[in-house]
Amino acid sequence: KLKYAYRDGGASAPWDYVLVPNTINPQFPGLAFDDANRPWISYFDASLNRFYLVTNSSTDGTGSWSMYEFPLTPSGAPAAMPAANNTAVGMYRHSGIVDPYMVIIDSNTTSKGVKFAVFSSLSRGWNTPVVIDALTAGALGAAHLSTDSDSSGNMVVAYQEINVGRVKYAVSLTAAGATWSTPLSISGINQGPGATIKINPSTGSPVASYYDQTNNAVFVNQCSGTPSSCKTTGWTQTQVEGAAGVSGLTAATGQLLSTAMGFSSNGKVYAFFPRGQANDGNLMLANNFAGAFSSVAIANGTNGSLPGTPALNVGV
């Protein structure tokens, strides 16, 4: 089942959750809020082989739910892990209107691609879908999808392209995402699990975070330009963790890796990530407030008392 959890009242308030109805086998959900604080959730239904966007009329999820099927359906056999049918959701702001948009990774053999469509909040229908990346470079597909947008209408996407083993970045170039930049590889080889992309609200520049699973490392990759100019250059990668302890994860369990980011009022980066197998299982926070990145544990794991047992890697 797909659950939506909500907490109102600060860190001491209890969490309430509701079941999202009519979900059968939901995988890889994404969450975003519109300007009326209504939640929009994207997910892949593995039983129905369909992508969906759902929303609630109330912030806390106690109102009415509405469900909309993404206008493209996977075909052919699913690709093997670590590729996956993934989703991400964001808000497209234009002419005083806020419309949700959805990005998907379709990893199935004959319909493969990273695809995008805007959903009209007025007409309750989808714009024409756009293929951001046809994933023709190899047979392995993609995984670890993320998206973000800004008040100027820019939409950015990051994901791990499995065949080249790198994080790729793309940005919308025309209104409503009708055209996108050619995806740019912004990481080193064999990097990308847990890929997250955000636009720094203070600088207007995109920032990505992700794992190097093979080398047990975590990176933050900052671009110095606009979302559009970063489609070709401007990226600087910084290692913020060198002992993540995740190299032993399998192709399937590597999907559990995730990173998250936030920003201070002056544009400094917060990067969140879990450490796992062969380490302490702690949830970590790295920031560059002092000019260089340093990290601290903000929640302790239990791996230290379970020698030889892989810690669960959590979503953040």
Side-chain angles (χ1 to χ4, degrees), residues 71-155:
L72 291 174
T73 302
S75 61
M81 288 287 190
N85 286 344
N86 213 317
T87 78
V89 62
M91 295 295 144
Y92 171 53
R93 292 172 170 82
H94 60 107
S95 305
I97 300 173
V98 180
D99 286 328
Y101 68 87
M102 189 168 163
V103 187
I104 67 165
I105 291 175
D106 178 352
S107 67
N108 287 39
T109 53
T110 59
S111 58
K112 190 179 300 178
V114 180
K115 305 170 184 181
F116 161 91
V118 174
F119 182 81
S120 172
S121 56
L122 298 177
S123 69
R124 297 282 157 162
W126 295 92
N127 287 9
T128 302
V130 175
V131 176
I132 297 174
D133 188 344
L135 298 175
T136 56
L140 299 180
H144 302 283
L145 177 67
S146 178
T147 188
D148 198 19
S149 60
D150 63 18
S151 59
S152 299
N154 295 302
M155 294 171 282

Side-chain angles (χ1 to χ4, degrees), residues 173-310:
L173 299 179
T174 55
T179 58
W180 285 73
S181 65
T182 300
L184 172 71
S185 294
I186 61 172
S187 77
I189 298 174
N190 296 324
Q191 296 177 347
T196 296
I197 190 75
K198 290 287 186 182
I199 298 176
N200 189 325
S202 295
T203 65
S205 300
V207 185
S209 57
Y210 44 84
Y211 285 86
D212 179 332
Q213 185 174 335
T214 301
N215 295 302
N216 287 316
V218 178
F219 289 89
V220 170
N221 198 340
Q222 302 184 74
C223 188
S224 58
T226 64
S228 180
S229 69
C230 291
K231 68 182 185 291
T232 56
T233 188
W235 293 88
T236 301
Q237 177 176 267
T238 303
Q239 181 174 315
V240 300
E241 170 66 58
V246 296
S247 62
L249 295 177
T250 66
T253 56
Q255 292 288 354
L256 296 171
L257 292 171
S258 70
T259 67
M261 282 184 295
F263 300 92
S264 68
S265 59
N266 62 351
K268 297 295 186 180
V269 180
Y270 294 100
F272 303 87
F273 55 91
R275 295 197 295 209
Q277 183 182 12
N279 208 314
D280 46 32
N282 289 343
L283 181 63
M284 306 298 295
L285 166 62
N287 66 60
N288 60 345
F289 286 13
F293 277 96
S294 60
S295 61
V296 296
I298 58 174
N300 292 325
T302 59
N303 206 34
S305 61
L306 299 170
T309 301

